[in-house]
Amino acid sequence: MLSKGLKRKREEEEEKEPLAVDAWWLDPGHASVAQAPPAVASSSLFDLSVLKLHHSLQQSEPDLRHLVLVVNTLRRIQASMAPAAALPPVPSPPAAPSVADNLLASSDAALSASMASLLEDLSHIEGLSQAPQPLADEGPPGRSIGGAAPSLGALDLLGPATGCLLDDGLEGLFEDIDTSMYDNELWAPASEGLKPGPEDGPGKVEAPELDEAELDYLMDVLVGTQALERPPGPGR
Amino acid sequence: MTSRLHIRTPSLREVESQGEGHTGSATADIISTVEFNHTGELLATGDKGGRVVIFQREPESKNAPHSQGEYDVYSTFQSHEPEFDYLKSLEIEEKINKIKWLPQQNAAHSLLSTNDKTIKLWKITERDKRPEGYNLKDEEGKLKDLSTVTSLQVPVLKPMDLMVEVSPRRIFANGHTYHINSISVNSDCETYMSADDLRINLWHLAITDRSFNIVDIKPANMEDLTEVITASEFHPHHCNLFVYSSSKGSLRLCDMRAAALCDKHSKLFEEPEDPSNRSFFSEIISSVSDVKFSHSGRYMLTRDYLTVKVWDLNMEARPIETYQVHDYLRSKLCSLYENDCIFDKFECAWNGSDSVIMTGAYNNFFRMFDRNTKRDVTLEASRESSKPRAVLKPRRVCVGGKRRRDDISVDSLDFTKKILHTAWHPAENIIAIAATNNLYIFQDKVNSDMH
């Protein structure tokens, strides 16, 4: 949070970078324009947006406005990062992207797909409320809600419907995205800052450096620790 | 600079909120909505803890010239409680999102208050007399021994200390799947609407078990969702017209006579994007956080992240006036995106004559724009800089370049101190400003210019 008296010079520098991506995005008020390589600058904003998206989806009842705005912003950023690749208008089903594919295009497809399925799950929630049906024993009333344990909350009630998060789509998503973002504390005092993604630029094709432990950590962050432990009873 | 705005003495709410820190309910005192009633005699506030506090303006009296028309606490009640939706395993916050007064039709006052899911109609009545001199009961209410009753008397009404009674008259539940962001009472005084992210419902004030859906923007496939409803309001005079705003910055004016489901707008108000100001955040900052019809009914006022705009109902292509609230934040959008401040929803307000508009900002600043003189002023709602009956000093944010002594630099703005909720008395120059958990009421005693 920006608070009284604290200067955030590092932020000032960083905020200029994403705006310097392309002439189209230029803020004419800035003196320095072409500071960093465009792809790298956009990548940190991209990562930030993805993090926000997942954080938003982790809420038991996501703020739809926040979610929609972040998703739309993310699409804009993606469009600027890969201006040559056309965005798939209809998200294709999540599939393990082949190594030869353009990293960004496949990332976008997988992202759209998992976003789509998660938004679909939100509509399932509404379906549940309108036609009450016996639930799978996923959601005992005694479950605690809130920020205690990061979890998908109500989305977990749907069991199979969220299974798509756990299949190739999600893994494919994370194969393409630089995960150093998740390892760093984003809001720590600017000791580390935002590490630019190693190779997110278009045209670069390589196997991402993501080992088992990191993937597990990411999975846990997203899916929560449901499988490992039940959260305690309802608390406020 | 001759603006003279006086601050009233801190309200009871402020005193209470300080004392409640021990129970951790300091956040429960955060004011989430402020609303004057139609005469301005009453001012209602709602907070995060689900409480409503109503202030009443004391009548001006010659005996106490200093307490001319000041607001004191009239009633406090718990409107909403936290709920748990067992079906979805979700907590429903008790925070009051909006309060709207009904036009007064008898001695009682009525208001609607809503949280994310449920709207309630509250009736506020006064009792200042009580009957005395019953024949069969004594003073304490016990039955008298009939043999001691030798004559009959007519009970008389004797004055008593004023008692304000509040009772819930209607509960409008189960109408919304998504979070309610607005309610608005129709000029017909019989119906009202409630809007959530994707739908708007029309209710009859006397009927709680059903409502009519009049707007539904939920796509068949949720993956196609790109836009949500952010605010809505009925026209002040035409009972068939209402407007709703979206996260993409557009306004839709709908006519309920045209169809039962008003998905097709009668008018679409949208300003084309300024190509020179384009950025990744263009859409977020164009999202309209509040829309208000002018008292005349001819204009609409909208608030997006950086500006307030006045729209003429007869012109859809662009607003007729645009005022910069804090343009110095335009170069800081990335930081504000990072810390989520860019998603803050500020409200806006008209004065009684529709000549001045007001909105809040950061650092406990609020801004006023005179539409006629095109002058604007920045003021601060804070205890340090304001004492009772003190005159508010205009503030200035400097962006660089020459800096005057009392200027605040952009980098030292406190983004945790945001004035999201403001209200203007319907007739007089009295404004209510909610600064986190403090309520400030400013009265303009002298007619003034703004610089």
Side-chain angles (χ1 to χ4, degrees):
Chain A
M1 254 325 179
L2 298 179
S3 55
K4 204 173 174 101
L6 276 185
K7 296 211 173 190
R8 301 192 74 194
K9 283 185 184 166
R10 222 185 161 84
E11 291 303 326
E12 302 278 330
E13 289 168 10
E14 283 165 357
E15 92 207 5
K16 287 177 189 161
E17 293 174 358
L19 292 172
V21 169
D22 198 348
W24 188 50
W25 303 110
L26 235 138
D27 181 347
H30 281 296
S32 55
V33 167
Q35 276 193 359
V40 172
S42 281
S43 165
S44 54
L45 198 60
F46 177 86
D47 293 342
L48 172 61
S49 298
V50 171
L51 194 65
K52 277 194 182 303
L53 172 63
H54 285 293
H55 183 73
S56 191
L57 290 168
Q58 279 172 27
Q59 308 298 316
S60 47
E61 219 176 354
D63 178 354
L64 264 187
R65 172 183 166 263
H66 186 271
L67 190 62
V68 159
L69 289 174
V70 168
V71 166
N72 291 348
T73 304
L74 197 48
R75 288 194 176 126
R76 279 201 188 204
I77 296 167
Q78 283 185 311
S80 78
M81 284 165 81
L87 274 175
V90 176
S92 48
S98 69
V99 174
D101 283 347
N102 180 298
L103 276 176
L104 291 167
S106 58
S107 151
D108 173 68
L111 173 66
S112 299
S114 54
M115 248 303 301
S117 54
L118 285 162
L119 281 176
E120 193 68 36
D121 295 339
L122 283 179
S123 69
H124 283 301
I125 294 170
E126 178 188 332
L128 275 178
S129 77
Q130 286 165 0
Q133 28 182 294
L135 289 174
D137 54 350
E138 284 273 340
R143 257 180 49 197
S144 89
I145 302 300
S151 73
L152 292 168
L155 298 179
D156 287 330
L157 294 173
L158 306 167
T162 58
C164 56
L165 286 178
L166 306 173
D167 65 11
D168 289 341
L170 188 62
E171 297 190 19
L173 170 66
F174 280 105
E175 272 171 30
D176 303 320
I177 291 179
D178 166 48
T179 58
S180 62
M181 192 66 176
Y182 300 96
D183 298 332
N184 292 336
E185 212 20 68
L186 179 62
W187 283 275
S191 49
E192 297 172 282
L194 297 170
K195 283 186 192 162
E199 302 82 25
D200 271 355
K204 270 266 188 171
V205 171
E206 64 155 43
E209 291 148 354
L210 184 65
D211 59 303
E212 286 268 336
E214 284 180 284
L215 184 60
D216 283 347
Y217 170 71
L218 292 166
M219 296 293 290
D220 285 343
V221 165
L222 278 177
V223 180
T225 53
Q226 293 292 346
L228 300 177
E229 54 183 82
R230 280 279 174 206
R236 286 206 58 226
Chain B
M1 176 56 221
T2 58
S3 163
R4 299 186 60 197
L5 288 177
H6 297 254
I7 184 176
R8 66 181 302 289
T9 48
S11 68
L12 194 62
R13 164 186 289 282
E14 293 174 75
V15 175
E16 280 174 356
S17 66
Q18 285 149 35
E20 270 162 305
H22 64 285
T23 58
S25 60
T27 48
D29 292 333
I30 293 175
I31 300 171
S32 49
T33 187
V34 186
E35 188 83 4
F36 280 99
N37 76 336
H38 295 276
T39 61
E41 181 209 352
L42 298 176
L43 173 67
T45 62
D47 68 19
K48 209 160 182 257
R51 275 171 315 189
V52 171
V53 179
I54 302 177
F55 297 85
Q56 184 186 43
R57 193 177 184 196
E58 295 305 317
E60 303 191 13
S61 71
K62 294 174 206 161
N63 296 339
H66 288 300
S67 61
Q68 288 171 31
E70 291 201 345
Y71 286 83
D72 291 318
V73 177
Y74 177 67
S75 172
T76 303
F77 61 94
Q78 188 74 33
S79 170
H80 286 71
E81 299 274 4
E83 284 174 46
F84 194 79
D85 182 335
Y86 290 96
L87 197 63
K88 301 188 220 167
S89 231
L90 294 171
E91 239 184 39
I92 299 171
E93 248 195 315
E94 68 275 29
K95 171 169 75 95
I96 308 295
N97 291 337
K98 280 288 184 311
I99 290 174
K100 283 285 147 76
W101 290 92
L102 268 56
Q104 192 177 7
Q105 287 171 332
N106 50 42
H109 292 99
S110 300
L111 60 79
L112 288 170
S113 68
T114 185
N115 68 349
D116 282 339
K117 299 285 185 177
T118 304
I119 307 129
K120 294 187 183 180
L121 174 66
W122 292 90
K123 194 164 177 185
I124 301 127
T125 49
E126 286 184 5
R127 190 193 293 268
D128 62 352
K129 299 183 188 53
R130 70 158 175 261
E132 277 180 21
Y134 283 104
N135 290 291
L136 298 178
K137 288 188 287 187
D138 64 16
E139 290 297 315
E140 284 132 36
K142 283 194 281 191
L143 284 175
K144 283 185 195 171
D145 181 358
L146 283 180
S147 58
T148 63
V149 177
T150 52
S151 63
L152 286 178
Q153 58 182 352
V154 178
V156 290
L157 291 174
K158 292 265 173 72
M160 59 178 258
D161 287 340
L162 179 66
M163 217 166 63
V164 179
E165 298 171 336
V166 180
S167 62
R169 299 302 262 216
R170 306 266 189 274
I171 297 181
F172 304 91
N174 303 318
H176 289 276
T177 306
Y178 304 101
H179 291 180
I180 297 174
N181 53 56
S182 321
I183 48 175
S184 178
V185 183
N186 200 339
S187 51
D188 66 8
C189 302
E190 283 187 355
T191 57
Y192 76 95
M193 70 159 152
S194 56
D196 66 30
D197 292 316
L198 298 179
R199 299 193 175 104
I200 302 180
N201 292 336
L202 181 72
W203 303 81
H204 192 285
L205 284 165
I207 299 171
T208 59
D209 63 355
R210 81 194 81 140
S211 69
F212 291 98
N213 176 242
I214 53 176
V215 174
D216 188 340
I217 64 167
K218 181 172 183 264
N221 264 328
M222 276 297 265
E223 55 196 63
D224 297 333
L225 180 68
T226 57
E227 197 174 7
V228 297
I229 297 170
T230 51
S232 71
E233 197 181 47
F234 267 119
H235 191 280
H237 310 311
H238 302 299
C239 57
N240 56 300
L241 289 180
F242 66 93
V243 68
Y244 70 91
S245 59
S246 84
S247 55
K248 284 196 172 170
S250 63
L251 301 168
R252 285 173 173 82
L253 186 72
C254 299
D255 188 335
M256 295 197 293
R257 297 173 302 189
L261 191 60
C262 301
D263 278 356
K264 285 202 180 120
H265 51 264
S266 296
K267 292 194 183 189
L268 172 65
F269 299 82
E270 219 170 17
E271 186 173 26
E273 203 178 341
D274 178 5
S276 65
N277 267 337
R278 229 168 173 181
S279 77
F280 291 113
F281 311 109
S282 291
E283 181 177 325
I284 300 180
I285 63 170
S286 74
S287 173
V288 173
S289 51
D290 194 15
V291 61
K292 294 264 168 54
F293 278 104
S294 63
H295 292 89
S296 63
R298 193 174 154 196
Y299 303 104
M300 294 183 295
L301 180 66
T302 59
R303 175 69 153 100
D304 52 61
Y305 191 63
L306 296 178
T307 70
V308 280
K309 294 176 176 163
V310 177
W311 301 78
D312 186 323
L313 282 187
N314 298 318
M315 187 162 82
E316 300 167 64
R318 76 191 80 81
I320 55 170
E321 293 155 31
T322 301
Y323 300 94
Q324 302 294 331
V325 180
H326 39 203
D327 200 53
Y328 44 78
L329 296 183
R330 197 177 288 275
S331 56
K332 308 210 175 297
L333 293 179
C334 195
S335 308
L336 296 164
Y337 177 67
E338 190 189 332
N339 63 20
D340 272 347
C341 280
I342 206 176
F343 299 102
D344 286 336
K345 290 186 287 186
F346 293 92
E347 291 171 10
C348 53
W350 297 90
N351 75 336
S353 58
D354 298 335
S355 59
V356 183
I357 55 189
M358 167 174 72
T359 188
Y362 293 108
N363 210 70
N364 277 354
F365 287 166
F366 59 99
R367 302 261 285 138
M368 288 199 237
F369 304 90
D370 187 320
R371 296 178 60 214
N372 299 324
T373 65
K374 299 301 177 198
R375 290 170 166 177
D376 63 82
V377 70
T378 304
L379 299 168
E380 183 178 359
S382 81
R383 231 182 296 219
E384 290 81 40
S385 62
S386 309
K387 292 194 167 46
R389 316 219 193 293
V391 173
L392 277 184
K393 195 179 55 173
R395 308 309 306 265
R396 216 173 84 110
V397 178
C398 72
V399 199
K402 29 182 190 174
R403 188 193 154 151
R404 295 186 212 160
R405 191 199 322 200
D406 291 325
D407 285 1
I408 313 281
S409 86
V410 185
D411 293 317
S412 47
L413 290 174
D414 188 344
F415 288 85
T416 62
K417 292 188 180 163
K418 34 194 120 186
I419 294 189
L420 303 173
H421 312 288
T422 59
W424 205 309
H425 188 287
E428 299 185 33
N429 277 347
I430 304 174
I431 56 178
I433 309 284
T436 318
N437 56 350
N438 292 316
L439 179 72
Y440 292 87
I441 301 176
F442 299 108
Q443 306 192 18
D444 187 13
K445 297 296 187 191
V446 176
N447 237 348
S448 61
D449 303 311
M450 283 181 278
H451 75 63

